Amino acid sequence: AAIAKAVASIEQGVSGSFLQSTSAKALRRLAQSSESQDLLGEADRQALASFLSGSQGSDYAPQSGEILGILKQMGDTMAKDLADATATEEAAIKTYEGLMAAKT
């Protein structure tokens, strides 16, 4: 259940909603202010500004779709493994109960 919630949250975040938030706007203003010159180097300020503007460069290819696919596959595999383990455990309980009933 937790992985399904995580995937849903990540899918919501993939749309770039952070870049449209007030937090991103405040971060953008801070990166452009003179105060940030003391905190960040020029290369870091440019990288941050590039990220916040949504233009990471022509060679940037988001991998979120592939990562989401892997997470979904992991969730499916874990759900199947849990179902198999539960079925095995239930069969073992029935066998035990049958042995205990035969013993009395």
Side-chain angles (χ1 to χ4, degrees):
I3 198 162
K5 290 180 183 177
V7 168
S9 295
I10 292 170
E11 284 176 334
Q12 283 181 332
V14 168
S15 65
S17 60
F18 172 74
L19 297 177
Q20 299 167 356
S21 69
T22 56
S23 299
K25 290 177 186 174
L27 191 57
R28 190 177 295 116
R29 279 193 307 271
L30 178 64
Q32 294 172 350
S33 73
S34 60
E35 296 172 5
S36 68
Q37 291 177 353
D38 297 334
L39 300 172
L40 300 171
E42 184 61 30
D44 292 335
R45 287 181 57 222
Q46 288 179 359
L48 181 58
S50 174
F51 169 74
L52 292 173
S53 69
S55 59
Q56 286 83 11
S58 60
D59 59 341
Y60 176 74
Q63 301 296 315
S64 56
E66 186 175 339
I67 293 168
L68 283 172
I70 291 169
L71 287 174
K72 287 177 182 178
Q73 184 179 12
M74 286 174 56
D76 293 345
T77 301
M78 287 190 289
K80 182 186 175 300
D81 290 347
L82 177 61
D84 291 346
T86 302
T88 301
E89 185 66 23
E90 288 174 356
I93 290 171
K94 287 182 182 177
T95 301
Y96 172 78
E97 289 173 348
L99 289 172
M100 293 306 288
K103 194 174 182 182
T104 57

